[in-house]
Amino acid sequence: MSVLLQLIKGEKSYGDQLLLDDADVTLYENVKVGFVGRNGAGKSTLLRVLLGTEELDSGELVQSPNLNVGYLRQHDPFLPGESALDFLMRDSNQPDWKCGAVAGQFELKGAYLEGPISALSGGWQTRVKLASLLLHEPNLLLLDEPTNFLDLRTQILLEHFLRNFNQACLIVSHDRSFLEQTCTHTLELSRGKLTMYPGPIEDFLEYREERREHDERINAAVEAKQKQLKRFIDKNRANASTASQAKSKSKQLERLQTIEIEADEAIANIRCPRVEPRQGPAVRCEHVAIGYPDHIVASDINLEIEHGERAAIVGDNGQGKTTLLRSLVDSLEPIKGTVKWGFGCEIGVYAQHVYSTLPPDQTVLDYLDYQAKPGTTTQEILAAAGSMLFRGGHTKKKISVLSGGERARLCMAGILLGTYNVLILDEPGNHLDVETIESLTEALKKYEGTVIFTSHDRHFMQSLATSVIEVRDGHVRNYGGDYGAYLYSVNKEIDEGERERNAKSKTAPQTLTAQPEKKSQSDWKEERRLQKEISKLEKSIARLDDKKKELSEKLANTPDPEEAMKVHTELTSVQEELTEAEDRWCELQEM
């Protein structure tokens, strides 16, 4: 595989924060890489370095002469009054038929394609930007949090696009489901170091945990052996007949080294309010219409959510999910009908407009002190702050200097200090990293109150939702199945639309699509040879993987330090052989 872009010994600092520390990474053609790391680790900075809009402090960035980078722009590049088709033709300099064909991959047609682009929602405008990226025919796509604020349907369309995009990608995202569906490799930025793993995100997270456990077991075995040797040396070095043995053991002791294990990066330890479980309906909507004076978003809503439910509100952007939430908590009065909450419901609201309008002059501690229920001690407030990673001097920081992720965590901490038995959460995962979202998921699973929430993070939704409420085409209804069933139905709709579009494309003039070249006899022979080698490698990989699991279990259950070292050596050899086989398999698949 050809190298498109290579960072060698990259160094980059902001003030006293070292973002890149002797960092190396190589991006190859046709390889899709998911890029992960904690908030503030420097992922967006690295993207700007790769784009050439920011300089390294030291190090080298080597680009292929054939490199053509496509970057999903965050600003709107549209002109006033132009349509999506006008923009695509202007931006790409391609004819209308080609722009229309590419736009169709993102369901941009009719008024969405030919009407004013300013009338489209943010999600639809993102589809236009993605279509323009494809028209520029890049061989490396750089995407920074592309799923933020995209509805489920647009996310799935983006997934389909990326799976069929036969070029390289580097995708920054906190959405594990999205990365799992689109990326074959995982790149992590942690403490300034870049680590490339030749597998998807779930495999990487499992490998990272296994590696840590493995290193801890080896260190335990090494430390036990060190103690044994020290006892022998102390006992025998003064004895003339055994002094030479003690000296030999000393040299052996010097060679025994433990593996350096980095301390875990701080992870938010989220705790939900302790509440008494309740029975019956938490909220009931009767013949409700929601919207604004000049526009009804949905009408005739008859809905009931039970105490203890975790109800996910789903639907495309612009259909009215946030309008429904606002109507439930009375920040937007229903146009018609009644919303009735059960007796004793205490409602805590987490929404984007809440954490973006926090009092800028208050410190973290001041804000939490104000939000906490009466009688909460300073120690309890500091513990809540610490659980959301505000420790030491960070509690004295003013809200005005906090990042988006820090404000989101602070707002969440304020809610969790209360006594709320109902939580209304509008996109709680935005601006939170993978580890914090995981902590929030586990906390909400244990919460005995009621949760009504929206999210674009499918892993979060699928892990948490016990019921699904769909907002679509002016109606709100309890969806019959679980979130997995809802995902399946949306995927099915998109697949059927793509089949219909592909069927139509077969009737298009032949000049629009290049005919595949006929394979020669030597091509067929080479393909058969590659298939045989791939088949052999797959059997070898399966065998080595079984051997690796067997040795890992043996190492975990071997008390004798010397025997443990032997097993560790064999396990390391098998791991190296397995990595080599997997790399070769990837190479053959590309060929």
Side-chain angles (χ1 to χ4, degrees):
M1 292 182 285
S2 299
V3 173
L4 291 177
L5 200 56
Q6 189 170 27
L7 176 68
I8 303 168
K9 297 187 179 303
E11 299 268 350
K12 182 70 179 177
S13 297
Y14 279 130
D16 58 356
Q17 186 181 9
L18 187 59
L19 296 177
L20 298 176
D21 180 14
D22 201 31
D24 295 298
V25 68
T26 303
L27 301 179
Y28 295 94
E29 63 178 2
N30 306 336
V31 176
K32 297 183 178 73
V33 180
F35 189 15
V36 297
R38 303 297 293 274
N39 281 344
K43 301 185 298 297
S44 296
T45 299
L46 179 61
L47 283 194
R48 291 194 294 271
V49 167
L50 298 181
L51 281 165
T53 60
E54 196 153 326
E55 295 288 329
L56 289 167
D57 296 337
S58 65
E60 187 178 5
L61 187 64
V62 182
Q63 298 183 350
S64 163
N66 301 319
L67 179 66
N68 181 21
V69 177
Y71 179 63
L72 183 61
R73 289 169 281 196
Q74 300 301 318
H75 70 283
D76 292 338
F78 315 122
L79 296 178
E82 73 178 340
S83 68
L85 183 58
D86 291 336
F87 164 72
L88 293 174
M89 291 171 63
R90 173 177 66 81
D91 189 63
S92 67
N93 207 24
Q94 299 282 5
D96 59 354
W97 65 265
K98 188 167 184 178
C99 292
V102 171
Q105 294 185 36
F106 298 96
E107 296 185 346
L108 287 160
K109 48 193 173 185
Y112 289 92
L113 182 63
E114 297 173 0
I117 204 166
S118 57
L120 300 180
S121 68
W124 282 96
Q125 290 186 7
T126 299
R127 296 188 192 194
V128 176
K129 294 178 192 176
L130 290 166
S132 89
L133 269 187
L134 190 56
L135 285 163
H136 284 283
E137 300 178 346
N139 57 7
L140 173 62
L141 279 183
L142 299 181
L143 305 178
D144 192 359
E145 296 291 354
T147 62
N148 269 6
F149 310 110
L150 292 187
D151 57 48
L152 175 63
R153 191 176 303 274
T154 307
Q155 284 187 38
I156 293 173
L157 283 168
L158 178 55
E159 278 178 11
H160 285 215
F161 159 62
L162 289 170
R163 283 202 295 267
N164 295 321
F165 180 68
N166 296 319
Q167 302 291 345
C169 300
L170 181 64
I171 304 171
V172 176
S173 181
H174 293 139
D175 189 329
R176 286 166 57 171
S177 294
F178 182 77
L179 292 178
E180 185 74 16
Q181 292 292 324
T182 55
C183 297
T184 58
H185 290 58
T186 304
L187 178 67
E188 183 187 40
L189 177 58
S190 176
R191 296 183 172 94
K193 301 294 185 184
L194 289 166
T195 303
M196 181 72 80
Y197 178 79
I201 178 72
E202 295 298 332
D203 289 356
F204 166 71
L205 294 174
E206 186 179 337
Y207 161 79
R208 189 173 65 178
E209 185 59 31
E210 285 179 354
R211 184 72 200 177
R212 184 179 184 83
E213 290 174 0
H214 164 268
D215 289 348
E216 286 172 348
R217 286 197 300 271
I218 292 299
N219 280 353
V222 168
E223 286 165 3
K225 184 65 177 176
Q226 285 173 334
K227 287 178 183 176
Q228 182 187 16
L229 290 171
K230 283 176 182 175
R231 282 197 299 270
F232 182 90
I233 294 165
D234 293 341
K235 185 178 178 181
N236 294 282
R237 63 184 167 188
N239 191 328
S241 62
T242 56
S244 60
Q245 284 180 282
K247 189 174 181 181
S248 174
K249 296 291 186 185
S250 294
K251 290 180 179 178
Q252 189 179 343
L253 179 61
E254 287 173 10
R255 289 195 297 270
L256 275 181
Q257 297 293 329
T258 55
I259 300 166
E260 184 178 348
I261 301 175
E262 288 187 336
D264 285 331
E265 291 185 271
I267 294 176
N269 182 23
I270 298 174
R271 302 185 196 91
C272 286
R274 291 184 180 178
V275 298
E276 288 294 323
R278 299 167 70 88
Q279 302 293 322
V283 63
R284 181 184 289 131
C285 299
E286 296 176 347
H287 307 293
V288 170
I290 60 173
Y292 307 90
D294 59 343
H295 173 55
I296 293 178
V297 172
S299 58
D300 200 27
I301 301 170
N302 293 287
L303 190 66
E304 192 169 275
I305 298 173
E306 295 285 320
H307 279 296
E309 273 191 60
R310 298 192 295 268
I313 312 294
V314 301
D316 292 351
N317 283 354
Q319 290 288 327
K321 300 189 298 293
T322 299
T323 304
L324 174 61
L325 287 182
R326 290 185 62 198
S327 300
L328 289 178
V329 298
D330 208 26
S331 74
L332 182 67
E333 190 175 339
I335 293 171
K336 180 184 175 184
T338 56
V339 175
K340 295 179 181 177
W341 283 95
F343 176 75
C345 285
E346 292 185 57
I347 303 167
V349 179
Y350 174 94
Q352 186 178 338
H353 72 275
V354 174
Y355 66 76
S356 62
T357 56
L358 298 177
D361 292 332
Q362 283 189 358
T363 66
V364 167
L365 199 56
D366 291 339
Y367 175 79
L368 293 179
D369 186 42
Y370 181 78
Q371 293 295 318
K373 61 183 180 289
T376 305
T377 66
T378 302
Q379 193 56 43
E380 287 173 323
I381 293 170
L382 286 171
S387 74
M388 297 300 281
L389 309 184
F390 295 104
R391 294 167 185 158
H394 290 280
T395 60
K396 298 175 183 176
K397 286 170 76 172
K398 286 200 171 184
I399 289 171
S400 58
V401 301
L402 299 182
S403 68
E406 287 173 324
R407 290 184 187 216
R409 293 203 308 272
L410 178 61
C411 185
M412 186 68 71
I415 289 171
L416 301 182
L417 273 170
T419 57
Y420 305 114
N421 55 18
V422 177
L423 297 178
I424 307 289
L425 310 177
D426 190 9
E427 296 294 346
N430 282 352
H431 304 297
L432 301 181
D433 53 40
V434 171
E435 291 80 5
T436 306
I437 292 171
E438 196 64 27
S439 179
L440 176 62
T441 305
E442 293 306 312
L444 290 172
K445 281 182 182 178
K446 297 171 185 173
Y447 177 57
E448 295 190 276
T450 305
V451 185
I452 304 172
F453 69 105
T454 67
S455 177
H456 290 126
D457 187 319
R458 277 165 289 170
H459 179 78
F460 179 74
M461 294 282 269
Q462 194 142 17
S463 300
L464 195 61
T466 58
S467 62
V468 177
I469 296 167
E470 184 181 34
V471 184
R472 183 172 184 176
D473 300 331
H475 299 283
V476 177
R477 67 184 182 104
N478 269 307
Y479 191 81
D482 59 11
Y483 188 72
Y486 177 72
L487 267 179
Y488 174 80
S489 70
V490 175
N491 266 297
K492 187 177 177 184
E493 280 183 31
I494 291 172
D495 287 339
E496 287 172 354
E498 288 180 347
R499 279 197 293 273
E500 182 183 346
R501 188 167 59 251
N502 291 337
K504 287 179 180 177
S505 70
K506 288 177 182 177
T507 64
Q510 293 300 310
T511 53
L512 298 186
T513 55
Q515 295 297 316
E517 295 180 10
K518 291 184 178 180
K519 292 182 180 178
S520 66
Q521 189 173 359
S522 62
D523 289 335
W524 286 113
K525 283 182 179 178
E526 176 63 10
E527 189 167 312
R528 280 199 298 273
R529 184 190 71 76
L530 290 174
Q531 288 291 354
K532 284 181 182 178
E533 190 177 349
I534 286 171
S535 179
K536 284 181 182 177
L537 274 171
E538 286 172 346
K539 290 176 183 176
S540 178
I541 287 169
R543 176 181 58 78
L544 289 166
D545 197 44
D546 288 343
K547 185 69 174 172
K548 176 187 166 185
K549 288 175 184 174
E550 178 190 325
L551 288 169
S552 294
E553 288 177 13
K554 188 175 178 182
L555 182 63
N557 299 310
T558 302
D560 180 58
E562 288 190 8
E563 181 62 25
M565 289 298 290
K566 287 178 185 177
V567 175
H568 167 59
T569 302
E570 187 179 356
L571 180 60
T572 302
S573 175
V574 168
Q575 178 61 57
E576 288 172 357
E577 196 176 345
L578 180 60
T579 301
E580 191 176 321
E582 287 173 339
D583 288 347
R584 177 61 179 160
W585 183 88
C586 289
E587 186 181 331
L588 290 173
Q589 286 289 358
E590 294 295 337
M591 290 166 65

